[in-house]
Amino acid sequence: KATMAPILLNCMGNDHNEYIKQQVHVKNPNLESMEEDVLYHLSLSTKTHNLPEMFGDIKFVCVGGSANRMKAFSQFIHQELKLPGNPEEISDICEGTDRYCMYKVGPVLSLSHGMGVPSISIMLHELIKLLYHAQCRDVVLFRLGTSGGVGLAPGTVVVTDKAVDYSFRPQFEQVVLGKVITRSTELDKGVANELLQCSSELQNIPTVIGNTMCTHDFYEGQGRLDGALCSFSNEEKLDYLKRAYEAGVRNIEMESTVFAAMCYACGLKAAVVCVTLLNRFEGDQITSPHDVLVEYQQRPQVLVSHFIKKRLGKAV
Ligand SMILES: O=P(O)(O)O[C@H]1O[C@H](CO)[C@@H](O)[C@H]1O
Ligand SMILES: O=c1cc[nH]c(=O)[nH]1
Protein backbone atom coordinates (compact mmCIF):
# COMPACT_ATOMS: atom_id res chain seq x y z
CA LYS A 1 0.00 0.00 0.00
CA ALA A 2 1.22 3.51 -0.86
CA THR A 3 1.15 4.71 2.74
CA MET A 4 3.23 1.90 4.25
CA ALA A 5 6.04 3.42 6.33
CA PRO A 6 9.50 1.82 6.37
CA ILE A 7 10.29 -0.20 9.49
CA LEU A 8 12.69 1.80 11.65
CA LEU A 9 15.31 -0.56 12.96
CA ASN A 10 17.08 2.09 14.95
CA CYS A 11 15.01 5.08 15.96
CA MET A 12 17.50 6.75 18.27
CA GLY A 13 19.13 10.19 17.98
CA ASN A 14 21.50 10.78 15.08
CA ASP A 15 21.05 7.29 13.66
CA HIS A 16 17.40 8.08 13.17
CA ASN A 17 18.23 11.40 11.49
CA GLU A 18 20.73 9.63 9.26
CA TYR A 19 18.08 7.00 8.39
CA ILE A 20 15.55 9.66 7.45
CA LYS A 21 18.17 11.55 5.42
CA GLN A 22 18.98 8.51 3.33
CA GLN A 23 15.34 7.75 2.51
CA VAL A 24 13.74 8.85 -0.74
CA HIS A 25 11.28 11.67 -0.04
CA VAL A 26 8.23 12.55 -2.05
CA LYS A 27 6.90 16.06 -1.56
CA ASN A 28 3.22 15.25 -2.00
CA PRO A 29 0.83 14.68 0.95
CA ASN A 30 -1.84 13.35 -1.43
CA LEU A 31 0.07 10.11 -1.91
CA GLU A 32 -0.64 9.19 1.74
CA SER A 33 -4.34 8.70 1.16
CA MET A 34 -4.19 6.86 -2.14
CA GLU A 35 -5.34 3.23 -2.11
CA GLU A 36 -3.24 2.45 -5.14
CA ASP A 37 -0.57 4.33 -7.06
CA VAL A 38 -0.46 3.46 -10.76
CA LEU A 39 2.90 4.34 -12.32
CA TYR A 40 1.24 4.47 -15.70
CA HIS A 41 4.22 5.16 -18.01
CA LEU A 42 6.33 2.50 -16.29
CA SER A 43 3.54 -0.08 -16.42
CA LEU A 44 3.82 -0.75 -12.65
CA SER A 45 1.45 -0.25 -9.71
CA THR A 46 1.56 -0.56 -5.92
CA LYS A 47 -1.36 -3.02 -6.08
CA THR A 48 -0.18 -5.30 -8.85
CA HIS A 49 3.54 -5.36 -8.03
CA ASN A 50 5.46 -5.89 -4.80
CA LEU A 51 7.69 -2.86 -5.26
CA PRO A 52 9.80 -3.29 -2.07
CA GLU A 53 10.56 -6.89 -3.08
CA MET A 54 11.28 -6.00 -6.72
CA PHE A 55 13.28 -2.81 -6.18
CA GLY A 56 14.13 -2.44 -2.45
CA ASP A 57 17.85 -3.21 -2.96
CA ILE A 58 18.45 -0.51 -5.63
CA LYS A 59 21.44 1.72 -4.80
CA PHE A 60 22.31 3.20 -8.21
CA VAL A 61 19.92 4.47 -10.87
CA CYS A 62 21.31 5.31 -14.31
CA VAL A 63 19.14 7.13 -16.84
CA GLY A 64 19.75 8.20 -20.43
CA GLY A 65 17.78 9.27 -23.48
CA SER A 66 18.02 6.20 -25.65
CA ALA A 67 16.41 2.81 -24.99
CA ASN A 68 19.23 0.92 -26.74
CA ARG A 69 21.93 2.75 -24.78
CA MET A 70 20.28 1.91 -21.46
CA LYS A 71 19.86 -1.75 -22.44
CA ALA A 72 23.53 -1.87 -23.49
CA PHE A 73 24.47 -0.25 -20.17
CA SER A 74 22.55 -2.87 -18.19
CA GLN A 75 24.40 -5.65 -20.05
CA PHE A 76 27.73 -3.88 -19.56
CA ILE A 77 27.25 -3.37 -15.81
CA HIS A 78 26.13 -7.00 -15.50
CA GLN A 79 29.50 -8.07 -16.89
CA GLU A 80 31.44 -5.50 -14.88
CA LEU A 81 29.85 -6.61 -11.59
CA LYS A 82 30.42 -10.26 -12.57
CA LEU A 83 26.84 -11.17 -11.72
CA PRO A 84 25.51 -14.67 -12.43
CA GLY A 85 23.25 -15.30 -15.45
CA ASN A 86 23.32 -14.38 -19.11
CA PRO A 87 23.42 -10.59 -19.77
CA GLU A 88 21.69 -11.22 -23.11
CA GLU A 89 18.62 -12.41 -21.19
CA ILE A 90 18.04 -9.29 -19.06
CA SER A 91 14.42 -8.35 -19.68
CA ASP A 92 12.66 -4.98 -19.90
CA ILE A 93 10.62 -4.50 -16.70
CA CYS A 94 8.47 -1.89 -18.51
CA GLU A 95 7.69 -4.05 -21.52
CA GLY A 96 3.97 -3.35 -20.95
CA THR A 97 4.61 0.17 -22.29
CA ASP A 98 6.77 1.46 -25.12
CA ARG A 99 7.29 4.85 -23.47
CA TYR A 100 10.40 3.93 -21.48
CA CYS A 101 12.52 0.84 -20.91
CA MET A 102 13.88 -0.33 -17.55
CA TYR A 103 16.43 -3.02 -16.64
CA LYS A 104 17.51 -4.14 -13.16
CA VAL A 105 20.95 -5.64 -12.64
CA GLY A 106 21.68 -6.36 -8.96
CA PRO A 107 21.63 -2.97 -7.18
CA VAL A 108 21.67 -1.02 -10.47
CA LEU A 109 18.55 0.19 -12.28
CA SER A 110 18.97 1.39 -15.88
CA LEU A 111 16.15 3.42 -17.50
CA SER A 112 15.58 5.39 -20.69
CA HIS A 113 13.89 8.79 -20.57
CA GLY A 114 13.49 9.96 -24.17
CA MET A 115 14.44 13.46 -25.31
CA GLY A 116 13.74 16.71 -23.52
CA VAL A 117 12.41 18.05 -20.23
CA PRO A 118 8.75 16.91 -20.49
CA SER A 119 9.75 13.33 -21.30
CA ILE A 120 12.35 12.94 -18.51
CA SER A 121 10.15 14.77 -16.02
CA ILE A 122 7.25 12.28 -16.42
CA MET A 123 9.71 9.40 -16.01
CA LEU A 124 11.27 11.01 -12.92
CA HIS A 125 7.91 11.54 -11.16
CA GLU A 126 7.20 7.84 -11.53
CA LEU A 127 10.77 6.68 -10.84
CA ILE A 128 11.02 8.72 -7.62
CA LYS A 129 7.64 7.37 -6.44
CA LEU A 130 8.85 3.88 -7.33
CA LEU A 131 11.99 4.33 -5.16
CA TYR A 132 9.77 5.72 -2.36
CA HIS A 133 7.23 2.90 -2.51
CA ALA A 134 10.08 0.37 -2.67
CA GLN A 135 11.58 1.95 0.50
CA CYS A 136 14.96 2.35 -1.15
CA ARG A 137 17.71 4.08 0.83
CA ASP A 138 21.09 5.58 -0.04
CA VAL A 139 20.32 5.85 -3.74
CA VAL A 140 22.54 7.79 -6.19
CA LEU A 141 21.15 8.80 -9.59
CA PHE A 142 23.20 9.41 -12.74
CA ARG A 143 22.19 10.80 -16.10
CA LEU A 144 24.45 9.22 -18.74
CA GLY A 145 24.02 11.34 -21.86
CA THR A 146 25.38 12.96 -24.98
CA SER A 147 25.79 16.70 -25.48
CA GLY A 148 27.28 19.44 -27.59
CA GLY A 149 30.66 20.67 -26.25
CA VAL A 150 31.42 24.34 -25.69
CA GLY A 151 35.15 24.85 -26.27
CA LEU A 152 36.03 21.19 -25.61
CA ALA A 153 37.45 18.48 -27.87
CA PRO A 154 34.76 16.01 -29.03
CA GLY A 155 34.70 12.92 -26.80
CA THR A 156 35.31 14.88 -23.58
CA VAL A 157 33.12 13.78 -20.67
CA VAL A 158 31.57 16.64 -18.70
CA VAL A 159 30.55 15.97 -15.10
CA THR A 160 28.10 18.76 -14.33
CA ASP A 161 28.92 21.27 -11.64
CA LYS A 162 25.81 23.44 -12.09
CA ALA A 163 22.91 22.64 -14.43
CA VAL A 164 21.91 26.04 -15.85
CA ASP A 165 19.10 27.42 -18.03
CA TYR A 166 19.24 29.43 -21.28
CA SER A 167 20.33 32.51 -19.25
CA PHE A 168 23.04 30.52 -17.43
CA ARG A 169 21.06 30.57 -14.14
CA PRO A 170 21.22 27.45 -11.91
CA GLN A 171 17.47 27.03 -11.77
CA PHE A 172 14.56 25.18 -13.33
CA GLU A 173 11.27 26.90 -14.11
CA GLN A 174 8.06 24.86 -14.10
CA VAL A 175 4.61 26.26 -14.89
CA VAL A 176 2.16 25.07 -12.20
CA LEU A 177 -1.48 26.19 -12.29
CA GLY A 178 -0.50 28.96 -14.68
CA LYS A 179 2.28 30.32 -12.45
CA VAL A 180 6.03 29.88 -12.79
CA ILE A 181 7.68 27.96 -9.94
CA THR A 182 11.49 28.12 -9.72
CA ARG A 183 13.47 25.22 -8.27
CA SER A 184 17.18 24.93 -7.44
CA THR A 185 19.29 22.67 -9.68
CA GLU A 186 21.94 21.80 -7.10
CA LEU A 187 23.82 18.56 -7.77
CA ASP A 188 25.94 16.54 -5.36
CA LYS A 189 29.48 17.98 -5.26
CA GLY A 190 30.88 14.91 -3.48
CA VAL A 191 29.65 12.53 -6.20
CA ALA A 192 30.97 14.87 -8.94
CA ASN A 193 34.43 14.96 -7.36
CA GLU A 194 34.40 11.19 -6.86
CA LEU A 195 33.61 10.81 -10.58
CA LEU A 196 36.50 13.11 -11.51
CA GLN A 197 38.79 10.98 -9.33
CA CYS A 198 37.44 7.84 -11.08
CA SER A 199 38.28 9.34 -14.50
CA SER A 200 41.91 9.81 -13.42
CA GLU A 201 42.08 6.07 -12.69
CA LEU A 202 40.87 5.15 -16.21
CA GLN A 203 42.50 5.41 -19.63
CA ASN A 204 40.94 7.36 -22.48
CA ILE A 205 38.11 9.01 -20.53
CA PRO A 206 39.08 12.72 -20.72
CA THR A 207 36.84 14.36 -18.12
CA VAL A 208 36.19 17.87 -16.84
CA ILE A 209 33.82 19.37 -14.30
CA GLY A 210 31.83 22.28 -15.76
CA ASN A 211 28.40 23.82 -16.06
CA THR A 212 25.83 22.19 -18.34
CA MET A 213 23.23 24.28 -20.15
CA CYS A 214 19.83 22.66 -20.58
CA THR A 215 17.67 23.82 -23.49
CA HIS A 216 14.18 22.98 -24.73
CA ASP A 217 15.28 22.47 -28.34
CA PHE A 218 18.21 20.90 -30.19
CA TYR A 219 18.30 23.42 -33.08
CA GLU A 220 17.47 27.11 -32.56
CA GLY A 221 17.34 26.57 -28.78
CA GLN A 222 21.01 25.51 -28.82
CA GLY A 223 22.03 28.25 -31.29
CA ARG A 224 22.27 25.92 -34.30
CA LEU A 225 22.30 27.40 -37.79
CA ASP A 226 21.15 24.17 -39.47
CA GLY A 227 17.53 23.65 -38.33
CA ALA A 228 14.39 24.05 -40.44
CA LEU A 229 14.17 27.53 -38.94
CA CYS A 230 16.99 29.94 -38.08
CA SER A 231 16.34 33.47 -36.86
CA PHE A 232 19.91 34.66 -36.09
CA SER A 233 23.35 35.13 -37.69
CA ASN A 234 26.56 33.13 -37.24
CA GLU A 235 28.02 36.11 -35.29
CA GLU A 236 25.03 36.09 -32.89
CA LYS A 237 25.41 32.33 -32.42
CA LEU A 238 29.14 32.63 -31.62
CA ASP A 239 28.49 35.54 -29.25
CA TYR A 240 25.93 33.43 -27.31
CA LEU A 241 28.29 30.44 -27.09
CA LYS A 242 31.11 32.77 -25.95
CA ARG A 243 28.90 34.19 -23.21
CA ALA A 244 27.93 30.65 -22.19
CA TYR A 245 31.61 29.66 -22.04
CA GLU A 246 32.40 32.71 -19.88
CA ALA A 247 29.58 31.66 -17.52
CA GLY A 248 31.34 28.31 -17.07
CA VAL A 249 29.17 26.32 -19.52
CA ARG A 250 31.12 23.45 -21.09
CA ASN A 251 28.29 21.49 -22.70
CA ILE A 252 24.66 21.75 -23.83
CA GLU A 253 21.96 19.09 -23.57
CA MET A 254 18.23 18.88 -22.89
CA GLU A 255 17.37 17.33 -19.49
CA SER A 256 19.91 18.32 -16.82
CA THR A 257 18.01 21.13 -15.05
CA VAL A 258 14.79 19.21 -14.37
CA PHE A 259 16.79 16.10 -13.47
CA ALA A 260 18.85 18.08 -10.94
CA ALA A 261 15.81 19.98 -9.59
CA MET A 262 13.61 16.93 -9.02
CA CYS A 263 16.40 14.86 -7.43
CA TYR A 264 17.40 17.73 -5.14
CA ALA A 265 13.80 18.38 -4.03
CA CYS A 266 13.38 14.68 -3.17
CA GLY A 267 16.64 14.30 -1.24
CA LEU A 268 18.37 12.17 -3.89
CA LYS A 269 22.08 12.49 -4.63
CA ALA A 270 22.51 13.00 -8.35
CA ALA A 271 25.13 13.57 -11.04
CA VAL A 272 24.97 14.43 -14.74
CA VAL A 273 27.67 12.79 -16.88
CA CYS A 274 27.49 13.62 -20.60
CA VAL A 275 30.01 13.10 -23.36
CA THR A 276 30.44 15.86 -25.97
CA LEU A 277 29.85 14.76 -29.58
CA LEU A 278 31.26 17.92 -31.20
CA ASN A 279 32.69 21.32 -30.36
CA ARG A 280 29.90 23.82 -31.01
CA PHE A 281 32.41 26.62 -31.76
CA GLU A 282 33.39 24.54 -34.78
CA GLY A 283 30.03 23.48 -36.16
CA ASP A 284 26.50 22.28 -35.66
CA GLN A 285 26.18 19.00 -37.56
CA ILE A 286 27.24 15.74 -35.94
CA THR A 287 29.45 14.23 -38.61
CA SER A 288 31.69 11.74 -36.75
CA PRO A 289 31.44 8.14 -38.01
CA HIS A 290 28.97 5.83 -36.26
CA ASP A 291 31.68 3.74 -34.53
CA VAL A 292 33.31 6.88 -33.11
CA LEU A 293 29.95 8.09 -31.74
CA VAL A 294 29.26 4.67 -30.20
CA GLU A 295 32.65 4.73 -28.45
CA TYR A 296 32.01 8.30 -27.19
CA GLN A 297 28.62 7.22 -25.74
CA GLN A 298 30.33 4.41 -23.86
CA ARG A 299 32.62 6.82 -21.98
CA PRO A 300 30.03 8.01 -19.38
CA GLN A 301 29.04 4.35 -18.94
CA VAL A 302 32.63 3.24 -18.29
CA LEU A 303 33.14 6.12 -15.84
CA VAL A 304 29.94 5.49 -13.87
CA SER A 305 30.53 1.74 -13.90
CA HIS A 306 33.96 2.35 -12.30
CA PHE A 307 32.28 4.57 -9.67
CA ILE A 308 29.71 1.85 -8.90
CA LYS A 309 32.36 -0.89 -8.70
CA LYS A 310 34.44 1.23 -6.30
CA ARG A 311 31.41 1.92 -4.09
CA LEU A 312 30.62 -1.81 -4.03
CA GLY A 313 34.27 -2.72 -3.34
CA LYS A 314 34.49 -4.54 -6.70
CA ALA A 315 37.05 -2.34 -8.50
CA VAL A 316 40.39 -4.03 -9.23
O1 LIG B 1 21.89 11.39 -25.36
P1 LIG B 1 20.71 11.81 -24.56
O2 LIG B 1 20.70 11.17 -23.21
O3 LIG B 1 19.41 11.59 -25.28
O4 LIG B 1 20.87 13.41 -24.38
C1 LIG B 1 21.00 14.36 -25.40
O5 LIG B 1 20.71 13.91 -26.73
C2 LIG B 1 19.40 14.32 -27.15
C3 LIG B 1 19.51 15.15 -28.41
O6 LIG B 1 20.18 14.48 -29.41
C4 LIG B 1 18.82 15.11 -25.98
O7 LIG B 1 17.98 14.26 -25.23
C5 LIG B 1 20.06 15.53 -25.23
O8 LIG B 1 19.88 15.84 -23.88
O1 LIG C 1 24.76 19.16 -29.63
C1 LIG C 1 24.17 18.30 -28.99
C2 LIG C 1 24.53 16.94 -29.00
C3 LIG C 1 23.80 16.05 -28.28
N1 LIG C 1 22.75 16.48 -27.55
C4 LIG C 1 22.39 17.78 -27.52
O2 LIG C 1 21.42 18.14 -26.85
N2 LIG C 1 23.11 18.67 -28.22
Side-chain angles (χ1 to χ4, degrees):
K1 201 178 155 195
T3 54
M4 205 160 68
I7 301 158
L8 296 183
L9 295 175
N10 188 339
C11 312
M12 303 297 286
N14 286 338
D15 287 348
H16 177 59
N17 290 340
E18 199 48 37
Y19 184 96
I20 296 293
K21 224 168 69 190
Q22 293 160 353
Q23 279 181 293
V24 179
H25 300 283
V26 283
K27 296 277 169 65
N28 180 3
N30 301 316
L31 293 179
E32 297 280 322
S33 55
M34 281 164 54
E35 270 289 299
E36 177 182 13
D37 191 3
V38 177
L39 309 177
Y40 167 63
H41 302 88
L42 300 182
S43 199
L44 295 167
S45 146
T46 50
K47 253 197 184 153
T48 54
H49 297 80
N50 184 338
L51 299 179
E53 194 175 285
M54 288 174 75
F55 299 102
D57 62 340
I58 297 285
K59 297 293 176 207
F60 308 98
V61 178
C62 299
V63 305
S66 128
N68 282 338
R69 184 192 312 146
M70 299 326 288
K71 182 175 186 182
F73 177 71
S74 70
Q75 292 170 335
F76 173 63
I77 197 79
H78 186 279
Q79 280 167 0
E80 291 289 291
L81 298 182
K82 299 191 169 57
L83 295 175
N86 183 352
E88 296 300 319
E89 284 168 14
I90 302 170
S91 61
D92 180 3
I93 298 169
C94 299
E95 63 182 356
T97 168
D98 56 6
R99 296 293 187 183
Y100 307 109
C101 70
M102 180 197 282
Y103 302 91
K104 183 176 179 302
V105 176
V108 183
L109 196 65
S110 176
L111 282 92
S112 68
H113 56 61
M115 285 194 281
V117 163
S119 183
I120 194 175
S121 127
I122 295 165
M123 187 280 277
L124 285 172
H125 275 283
E126 296 182 11
L127 168 67
I128 294 169
K129 290 197 294 171
L130 168 67
L131 298 173
Y132 167 74
H133 291 310
Q135 298 163 22
C136 295
R137 294 176 53 199
D138 271 331
V139 183
V140 188
L141 270 83
F142 302 89
R143 168 164 143 68
L144 312 181
T146 62
S147 60
V150 182
L152 294 176
T156 308
V157 174
V158 180
V159 175
T160 304
D161 178 11
K162 293 189 185 77
V164 300
D165 69 6
Y166 59 90
S167 282
F168 323 132
R169 296 169 300 190
Q171 64 181 46
F172 173 67
E173 288 179 349
Q174 169 87 52
V175 179
V176 179
L177 304 182
K179 294 197 186 102
V180 176
I181 287 187
T182 302
R183 294 198 166 112
S184 161
T185 55
E186 202 160 307
L187 288 156
D188 194 85
K189 294 237 180 302
V191 173
N193 287 328
E194 220 172 307
L195 284 163
L196 191 65
Q197 171 60 33
C198 286
S199 74
S200 70
E201 295 160 9
L202 295 167
Q203 306 230 309
N204 204 23
I205 314 283
T207 304
V208 298
I209 292 188
N211 293 347
T212 296
M213 179 162 70
C214 178
T215 67
H216 292 307
D217 173 43
F218 183 85
Y219 287 98
E220 280 190 299
Q222 295 188 7
R224 277 189 158 82
L225 299 163
D226 62 341
L229 304 173
C230 184
S231 50
F232 48 86
S233 66
N234 187 36
E235 288 66 41
E236 286 169 316
K237 164 198 161 176
L238 292 175
D239 175 62
Y240 184 58
L241 290 182
K242 193 162 152 278
R243 285 190 288 118
Y245 187 88
E246 284 163 3
V249 171
R250 293 295 175 270
N251 66 340
I252 309 174
E253 48 75 270
M254 297 178 58
E255 294 86 13
S256 57
T257 49
V258 72
F259 173 79
M262 289 184 70
C263 290
Y264 183 68
C266 295
L268 286 159
K269 290 190 174 181
V272 178
V273 187
C274 292
V275 72
T276 61
L277 302 182
L278 76 170
N279 179 359
R280 288 297 316 288
F281 281 114
E282 280 163 15
D284 296 333
Q285 297 241 310
I286 298 170
T287 52
S288 298
H290 179 72
D291 56 332
V292 172
L293 293 175
V294 169
E295 193 273 318
Y296 284 171
Q297 283 193 39
Q298 285 165 350
R299 293 182 181 186
Q301 302 181 27
V302 172
L303 183 56
V304 168
S305 148
H306 187 64
F307 177 104
I308 292 174
K309 284 192 292 178
K310 276 181 81 173
R311 282 271 178 118
L312 295 175
K314 288 193 176 191
V316 279

mmCIF file of all heavy atoms in Angstrom, residues 64-66 69 113-116 143-146 218 253-255, ligand 1:
data_model
loop_
_atom_site.group_PDB
_atom_site.id
_atom_site.type_symbol
_atom_site.label_atom_id
_atom_site.label_comp_id
_atom_site.label_asym_id
_atom_site.label_seq_id
_atom_site.Cartn_x
_atom_site.Cartn_y
_atom_site.Cartn_z
ATOM 1 N N GLY A 64 19.215 7.605 -19.204
ATOM 2 C CA GLY A 64 19.754 8.201 -20.429
ATOM 3 C C GLY A 64 18.658 8.224 -21.474
ATOM 4 O O GLY A 64 17.671 7.478 -21.364
ATOM 5 N N GLY A 65 18.836 9.053 -22.509
ATOM 6 C CA GLY A 65 17.776 9.266 -23.475
ATOM 7 C C GLY A 65 17.357 8.040 -24.252
ATOM 8 O O GLY A 65 16.168 7.791 -24.447
ATOM 9 N N SER A 66 18.341 7.247 -24.687
ATOM 10 C CA SER A 66 18.022 6.195 -25.654
ATOM 11 C C SER A 66 17.785 4.828 -25.012
ATOM 12 O O SER A 66 18.512 4.414 -24.104
ATOM 13 C CB SER A 66 19.162 6.134 -26.685
ATOM 14 O OG SER A 66 19.665 4.856 -26.829
ATOM 15 N N ARG A 69 20.763 2.438 -25.625
ATOM 16 C CA ARG A 69 21.926 2.745 -24.779
ATOM 17 C C ARG A 69 21.720 2.191 -23.366
ATOM 18 O O ARG A 69 22.625 1.626 -22.765
ATOM 19 C CB ARG A 69 22.150 4.256 -24.707
ATOM 20 C CG ARG A 69 23.417 4.643 -23.921
ATOM 21 C CD ARG A 69 23.475 6.134 -23.598
ATOM 22 N NE ARG A 69 23.184 6.948 -24.741
ATOM 23 C CZ ARG A 69 22.545 8.123 -24.671
ATOM 24 N NH1 ARG A 69 22.166 8.619 -23.514
ATOM 25 N NH2 ARG A 69 22.283 8.806 -25.762
ATOM 26 N N HIS A 113 14.830 7.704 -20.871
ATOM 27 C CA HIS A 113 13.891 8.789 -20.566
ATOM 28 C C HIS A 113 13.440 9.585 -21.782
ATOM 29 O O HIS A 113 12.702 10.561 -21.639
ATOM 30 C CB HIS A 113 14.466 9.741 -19.510
ATOM 31 C CG HIS A 113 15.803 10.348 -19.850
ATOM 32 N ND1 HIS A 113 16.010 11.145 -20.930
ATOM 33 C CD2 HIS A 113 17.004 10.273 -19.214
ATOM 34 C CE1 HIS A 113 17.279 11.546 -20.949
ATOM 35 N NE2 HIS A 113 17.914 11.014 -19.934
ATOM 36 N N GLY A 114 13.881 9.195 -22.990
ATOM 37 C CA GLY A 114 13.486 9.964 -24.165
ATOM 38 C C GLY A 114 14.214 11.305 -24.222
ATOM 39 O O GLY A 114 15.167 11.525 -23.476
ATOM 40 N N MET A 115 13.749 12.182 -25.121
ATOM 41 C CA MET A 115 14.441 13.460 -25.309
ATOM 42 C C MET A 115 13.650 14.620 -24.731
ATOM 43 O O MET A 115 12.458 14.765 -25.002
ATOM 44 C CB MET A 115 14.665 13.716 -26.804
ATOM 45 C CG MET A 115 15.772 12.863 -27.386
ATOM 46 S SD MET A 115 16.264 13.465 -29.010
ATOM 47 C CE MET A 115 14.953 12.811 -30.004
ATOM 48 N N GLY A 116 14.327 15.455 -23.962
ATOM 49 C CA GLY A 116 13.744 16.706 -23.516
ATOM 50 C C GLY A 116 13.108 16.664 -22.135
ATOM 51 O O GLY A 116 12.820 15.599 -21.574
ATOM 52 N N ARG A 143 22.650 10.712 -14.705
ATOM 53 C CA ARG A 143 22.191 10.798 -16.096
ATOM 54 C C ARG A 143 23.418 10.584 -16.977
ATOM 55 O O ARG A 143 24.420 11.304 -16.886
ATOM 56 C CB ARG A 143 21.558 12.167 -16.367
ATOM 57 C CG ARG A 143 21.353 12.392 -17.836
ATOM 58 C CD ARG A 143 20.425 13.503 -18.229
ATOM 59 N NE ARG A 143 20.925 14.175 -19.428
ATOM 60 C CZ ARG A 143 20.968 13.615 -20.643
ATOM 61 N NH1 ARG A 143 20.549 12.382 -20.832
ATOM 62 N NH2 ARG A 143 21.460 14.287 -21.669
ATOM 63 N N LEU A 144 23.346 9.549 -17.824
ATOM 64 C CA LEU A 144 24.446 9.222 -18.741
ATOM 65 C C LEU A 144 24.011 9.679 -20.130
ATOM 66 O O LEU A 144 23.160 9.025 -20.741
ATOM 67 C CB LEU A 144 24.691 7.711 -18.786
ATOM 68 C CG LEU A 144 24.799 6.947 -17.460
ATOM 69 C CD1 LEU A 144 25.055 5.477 -17.718
ATOM 70 C CD2 LEU A 144 25.926 7.535 -16.640
ATOM 71 N N GLY A 145 24.557 10.781 -20.620
ATOM 72 C CA GLY A 145 24.019 11.335 -21.862
ATOM 73 C C GLY A 145 25.056 11.752 -22.877
ATOM 74 O O GLY A 145 26.259 11.563 -22.700
ATOM 75 N N THR A 146 24.538 12.334 -23.959
ATOM 76 C CA THR A 146 25.382 12.964 -24.977
ATOM 77 C C THR A 146 25.071 14.460 -24.959
ATOM 78 O O THR A 146 24.026 14.878 -24.434
ATOM 79 C CB THR A 146 25.079 12.389 -26.377
ATOM 80 O OG1 THR A 146 23.712 12.683 -26.712
ATOM 81 C CG2 THR A 146 25.303 10.884 -26.429
ATOM 82 N N PHE A 218 16.886 21.293 -29.710
ATOM 83 C CA PHE A 218 18.212 20.895 -30.186
ATOM 84 C C PHE A 218 18.754 21.901 -31.199
ATOM 85 O O PHE A 218 19.963 22.106 -31.280
ATOM 86 C CB PHE A 218 18.088 19.513 -30.840
ATOM 87 C CG PHE A 218 19.366 18.891 -31.327
ATOM 88 C CD1 PHE A 218 20.187 18.164 -30.467
ATOM 89 C CD2 PHE A 218 19.742 18.999 -32.667
ATOM 90 C CE1 PHE A 218 21.353 17.565 -30.918
ATOM 91 C CE2 PHE A 218 20.909 18.394 -33.123
ATOM 92 C CZ PHE A 218 21.710 17.681 -32.250
ATOM 93 N N GLU A 253 22.836 20.238 -23.322
ATOM 94 C CA GLU A 253 21.957 19.087 -23.573
ATOM 95 C C GLU A 253 20.520 19.496 -23.217
ATOM 96 O O GLU A 253 20.221 20.678 -23.154
ATOM 97 C CB GLU A 253 22.455 17.818 -22.867
ATOM 98 C CG GLU A 253 22.834 17.965 -21.420
ATOM 99 C CD GLU A 253 21.650 18.068 -20.495
ATOM 100 O OE1 GLU A 253 21.188 19.207 -20.251
ATOM 101 O OE2 GLU A 253 21.209 17.038 -19.957
ATOM 102 N N MET A 254 19.649 18.518 -22.942
ATOM 103 C CA MET A 254 18.229 18.882 -22.886
ATOM 104 C C MET A 254 17.434 18.363 -21.686
ATOM 105 O O MET A 254 16.204 18.385 -21.716
ATOM 106 C CB MET A 254 17.541 18.424 -24.185
ATOM 107 C CG MET A 254 18.101 19.108 -25.415
ATOM 108 S SD MET A 254 17.358 18.560 -26.951
ATOM 109 C CE MET A 254 15.663 18.933 -26.661
ATOM 110 N N GLU A 255 18.114 17.867 -20.650
ATOM 111 C CA GLU A 255 17.373 17.333 -19.492
ATOM 112 C C GLU A 255 17.953 17.713 -18.125
ATOM 113 O O GLU A 255 17.307 17.487 -17.100
ATOM 114 C CB GLU A 255 17.312 15.785 -19.540
ATOM 115 C CG GLU A 255 16.511 15.194 -20.678
ATOM 116 C CD GLU A 255 17.315 15.040 -21.958
ATOM 117 O OE1 GLU A 255 18.564 15.165 -21.884
ATOM 118 O OE2 GLU A 255 16.725 14.821 -23.032
HETATM 119 O O1 LIG B 1 21.893 11.389 -25.365
HETATM 120 P P1 LIG B 1 20.714 11.812 -24.563
HETATM 121 O O2 LIG B 1 20.703 11.171 -23.214
HETATM 122 O O3 LIG B 1 19.408 11.589 -25.276
HETATM 123 O O4 LIG B 1 20.873 13.406 -24.382
HETATM 124 C C1 LIG B 1 21.004 14.355 -25.403
HETATM 125 O O5 LIG B 1 20.715 13.908 -26.733
HETATM 126 C C2 LIG B 1 19.403 14.315 -27.147
HETATM 127 C C3 LIG B 1 19.506 15.151 -28.407
HETATM 128 O O6 LIG B 1 20.177 14.478 -29.410
HETATM 129 C C4 LIG B 1 18.821 15.105 -25.976
HETATM 130 O O7 LIG B 1 17.981 14.264 -25.226
HETATM 131 C C5 LIG B 1 20.062 15.529 -25.229
HETATM 132 O O8 LIG B 1 19.882 15.838 -23.876
#
